[in-house]
Amino acid sequence: MTTPTAPDAMYRNDEGLGVWEHRGKVAAVGVGHAPTSRRWDGRPETCVGAITIDALRKAIDDAGVAPDQIDGLVVVPVTTTGAFWEAGKPLPMDVIQSFNQTDDPLDGIAKLSAEWLLKNMPELTNVKFTMYGPGCMSNALNVTAQAVGDGLTHTCLVVKSWHNFEGRYYQGGANAGDALPGTPAITQLWGGPASYSTALQFAEYCRKYGKSHDMMAAFMENSRRNGLRFPEGYWAQHRPEELGPEDYLASRWIAKPANLFDNDIPIMMSGAYLFSTAERAADMKQKPVYILNHASSNTRPRSLLPTLDEVEADTARTGRKIYEGAGITADDLSFENMYDGFSLFHQFHLEGLGYRGIKFGEALDFYQTDISIEGPNPVSPSGGNVGSGRSRVWMHTDCIQQLQGRAGARQVTGVKPQVGVSGGPMPLGGNYTVWSASPD
Amino acid sequence: MAKQGVDPDELTQPFWDAANEQRLVIQNCVDCDRLQHPPSNTCRDCDEGGELEWKQVSGRGTIYNYGVVHDCPVRLLQEDQPFNLAVIMLDDDPGIQMYSHLPGVPVDEVPVGAAVEVIFEPSANGQLVPEWRVIAD
Ligand SMILES: [Zn+2]
């Protein structure tokens, strides 16, 4: 079976599309996470393919569905943003021989195909629909919701995984060479780190609105606090350390004004969900969480980096798309789980949503108020990548668990969990999902 | 700062050739008369792709924004950390941005909004690369 990449037509990129045609008719039920680790230790049972199988099986168990009932699988094929298998590095043959390998020896080690998963999960005997949602879980969720709504699959798994190898992120390959080809040279010769673009938008934001980087400390402390209440996450599992203002503000700069903690920590992880039609979900083991809408942005900046004006125009547009398709307003949000890796753009998402009525330039002041899970205005109750490591998945898991009432120590208590929103990554170019405890 | 060398490719050969002649050229769409940078094989604004040319620009701009790089992924630049990394907006079209290390400007003392002019500096393999310096009042 050849797995296609989701066509553009599956995304809701435009304003004016009206209420999503499948609003409330698609549901998330099961959640599965593999244990996290900082880096791969080279063993077959911890490679990215193996942890993905683990997460998928947990999601199936969690939903209480027989594996032969599953007829769809949506996969994010890319499992890193900056940890690459160096050219010429010997292949780990013991690992490769531990699995039913595809034609690509790095499948399951440095990338992931649907074919590899199906070859190594013999219990999935009835999968007839496979599709790639590139990049992030946020993207794959949009694809899954649309596919279930459109009837392409009725019981569908969706999975996003991350590998991480020895060595520093982004530092191999072209960055270690003496010359660059002419086209990448135009953008890469100057050596901006990954968080540089976000740092610049944040710097412009601070100049425009009279804010400062130290105002981020309240958000960071809250996010780590929530992350330490996320037993599936990296910090909770491996480094149960609070992140107080002193530690945050004393950390070294990466691309000032972005410091070390503003950059999420790369990890190995896998997160999976089981989606189904609302009808079928009613008979499954967990309470269904209904999808009210999915929305996307494919906006590109005019030139090298998005300006603050471009960011604000697009996050506002994204907010309008999110609400329009879900048939809700900002007042309906019980909480928000917009993306935070890098932390310095979370406020753009928040202001675009108009969460709790905040306007452009007000989010950092809002951070100084009660944004905890116990208060009336929870910000990032998942703790996001700040709280649990680089996955771009925690925000979605948290929305599902909050609305099912099984977020454990992270459960919001200052609001009744009825509607949540999650998604990202960047302020320009992202995918968003609106989740609800009720189908209408 | 010693930047990595450049091996011009088909798309960017005119840009790098002009740089070696100390001229700054930017891609321009003949059909919609709009500059675009970074360059691409098609115009981003014309549905049919547009006919592209390389247009010499004034080489004047302003410092739009900057950050200070303390942890750079490019090996050759790591010995120069921390360094300024600014974004210049071209006077010819303030929507068009170019990067600069702002040679001569002390680290983290970047005058945002200041006028700059293009200069050309040799990279590791001798290819000249556009850079920007603050114009004295
Ligand atoms: Zn054009």
Side-chain angles (χ1 to χ4, degrees):
Chain A
M1 164 157 43
T2 313
T3 298
T5 296
D8 285 347
M10 291 189 84
Y11 302 99
R12 294 170 55 80
N13 278 311
D14 299 321
E15 279 190 80
L17 295 177
V19 171
W20 183 39
E21 66 270 26
H22 306 307
R23 179 186 192 272
K25 294 175 191 155
V26 177
V29 184
V31 176
H33 278 266
T36 64
S37 57
R38 178 78 169 94
R39 297 174 196 280
W40 185 37
D41 59 12
R43 292 183 300 139
E45 55 268 39
T46 53
C47 71
V48 75
I51 64 173
T52 304
I53 293 171
D54 184 29
L56 285 166
R57 286 181 174 151
K58 284 175 174 158
I60 298 168
D61 280 353
D62 190 51
V65 168
D68 65 1
Q69 293 300 301
I70 292 161
D71 68 346
L73 174 64
V74 175
V75 179
V76 182
V78 174
T79 53
T80 187
T81 56
F84 302 106
W85 194 267
E86 293 288 328
K89 185 173 163 185
L91 293 169
M93 293 313 296
D94 60 321
V95 178
I96 291 167
Q97 285 159 5
S98 300
F99 297 95
N100 296 314
Q101 199 60 29
T102 62
D103 294 340
D104 185 338
L106 289 174
D107 208 347
I109 293 170
K111 61 185 80 166
L112 206 51
S113 71
E115 185 191 359
W116 190 95
L117 287 169
L118 292 175
K119 273 173 171 271
N120 290 284
M121 294 184 74
E123 70 269 40
L124 296 179
T125 51
N126 282 321
V127 171
K128 295 171 188 72
F129 168 83
T130 57
M131 193 166 269
Y132 291 124
C136 295
M137 179 62 101
S138 297
N139 184 311
L141 285 176
N142 288 187
V143 172
T144 307
Q146 191 65 37
V148 173
D150 287 347
L152 302 173
T153 161
H154 57 69
T155 305
C156 188
L157 292 164
V158 52
V159 67
K160 166 69 184 179
S161 306
W162 291 76
H163 72 260
N164 192 27
F165 300 139
E166 291 303 317
R168 295 204 56 198
Y169 237 57
Y170 300 117
Q171 300 221 349
N175 283 333
D178 294 327
L180 289 176
T183 299
I186 283 178
T187 51
Q188 293 169 24
L189 274 183
W190 284 262
S195 55
Y196 171 77
S197 174
T198 297
L200 255 64
Q201 290 152 30
F202 185 81
E204 186 177 5
Y205 178 94
C206 288
R207 278 197 299 275
K208 178 172 179 179
Y209 296 114
K211 307 301 173 193
S212 56
H213 181 260
D214 57 1
M215 296 177 77
M216 285 296 296
F219 171 79
M220 301 299 287
E221 184 171 30
N222 179 67
S223 293
R224 180 66 67 76
R225 177 177 185 261
N226 295 344
L228 295 181
R229 287 159 177 72
F230 211 139
E232 294 90 342
Y234 172 78
W235 290 92
Q237 289 175 4
H238 301 282
R239 294 177 63 182
E241 305 155 13
E242 303 281 346
L243 180 58
E246 281 174 18
D247 290 333
Y248 171 62
L249 297 173
S251 83
R252 66 187 178 88
W253 297 114
I254 302 294
K256 188 183 177 185
N259 73 17
L260 182 67
F261 290 113
D262 295 317
N263 291 257
D264 45 333
I265 189 169
I267 57 171
M268 302 273 306
M269 73 79 64
S270 181
Y273 309 121
L274 187 140
F275 270 53
S276 189
T277 60
E279 227 164 41
R280 284 175 179 260
D283 298 326
M284 293 179 187
K285 200 165 89 186
Q286 309 297 342
K287 185 176 176 301
V289 174
Y290 301 91
I291 312 302
L292 296 188
N293 185 26
H294 66 88
S296 300
S297 157
N298 56 4
T299 307
R300 294 188 302 168
R302 165 90 197 278
S303 190
L304 299 174
L305 303 177
T307 64
L308 183 59
D309 284 348
E310 287 176 313
V311 165
E312 291 183 341
D314 207 52
T315 54
R317 196 156 45 230
T318 294
R320 293 193 297 270
K321 285 185 272 192
I322 285 170
Y323 296 134
E324 180 192 26
I328 62 169
T329 70
D331 294 342
D332 294 307
L333 291 178
S334 316
F335 56 86
E336 66 83 27
N337 264 317
M338 301 294 267
Y339 189 51
D340 68 335
F342 307 108
S343 60
L344 299 185
F345 61 54
H346 189 78
Q347 76 283 352
F348 298 138
H349 287 303
L350 218 59
E351 292 171 0
L353 282 178
Y355 182 64
R356 295 299 187 262
I358 60 171
K359 300 183 176 60
F360 292 129
E362 295 180 353
L364 267 56
D365 292 314
F366 186 68
Y367 288 169
Q368 314 310 311
T369 68
D370 182 3
I371 57 172
S372 72
I373 50 175
E374 295 87 356
N377 307 313
V379 165
S380 195
S382 73
N385 280 24
V386 172
S388 289
R390 177 171 299 164
S391 78
R392 307 178 177 171
V393 172
W394 315 115
M395 50 189 168
H396 308 302
T397 298
D398 187 68
C399 283
I400 298 170
Q401 292 178 339
Q402 294 285 358
L403 296 169
Q404 289 176 328
R406 52 178 188 143
R410 251 179 20 264
Q411 188 69 49
V412 294
T413 55
V415 291
K416 188 174 178 206
Q418 290 176 303
V419 177
V421 62
S422 57
M426 310 307 275
L428 266 71
N431 306 86
Y432 306 88
T433 302
V434 184
W435 314 80
S436 174
S438 134
D440 38 51
Chain B
M1 291 173 66
K3 291 180 180 62
Q4 289 168 288
V6 180
D7 299 322
D9 48 24
E10 193 182 341
L11 173 65
T12 60
Q13 188 81 50
F15 178 87
W16 296 113
D17 285 349
N20 279 340
E21 297 164 6
Q22 309 218 20
R23 294 184 300 116
L24 181 62
V25 298
I26 299 289
Q27 223 178 20
N28 184 58
C29 176
V30 176
D31 295 338
C32 67
D33 193 24
R34 212 165 129 91
L35 296 174
Q36 70 177 13
H37 187 77
S40 154
N41 286 313
T42 54
C43 171
R44 291 176 35 177
D45 293 309
C46 289
D47 288 338
E48 300 298 315
E51 186 191 335
L52 295 166
E53 61 178 358
W54 290 90
K55 188 172 180 179
Q56 185 162 340
V57 293
S58 67
R60 295 278 177 140
T62 57
I63 300 174
Y64 157 63
N65 202 348
Y66 81 103
V68 180
V69 177
H70 290 250
D71 195 336
C72 172
V74 176
R75 194 189 59 203
L76 272 181
L77 296 174
Q78 287 169 353
E79 63 192 55
D80 295 308
Q81 290 170 180
F83 57 82
N84 293 322
L85 177 44
V87 173
I88 308 302
M89 294 285 208
L90 299 191
D91 284 356
D92 300 78
D93 179 342
I96 298 295
Q97 304 167 335
M98 297 191 74
Y99 288 121
S100 175
H101 287 138
L102 293 176
V105 175
V107 173
D108 212 2
E109 293 177 28
V110 172
V112 173
V116 289
E117 64 185 359
V118 73
I119 56 175
F120 293 88
E121 290 189 339
S123 64
N125 67 357
Q127 167 69 50
L128 293 185
V129 173
E131 260 298 357
W132 299 82
R133 76 175 161 216
V134 176
I135 301 170
D137 297 327

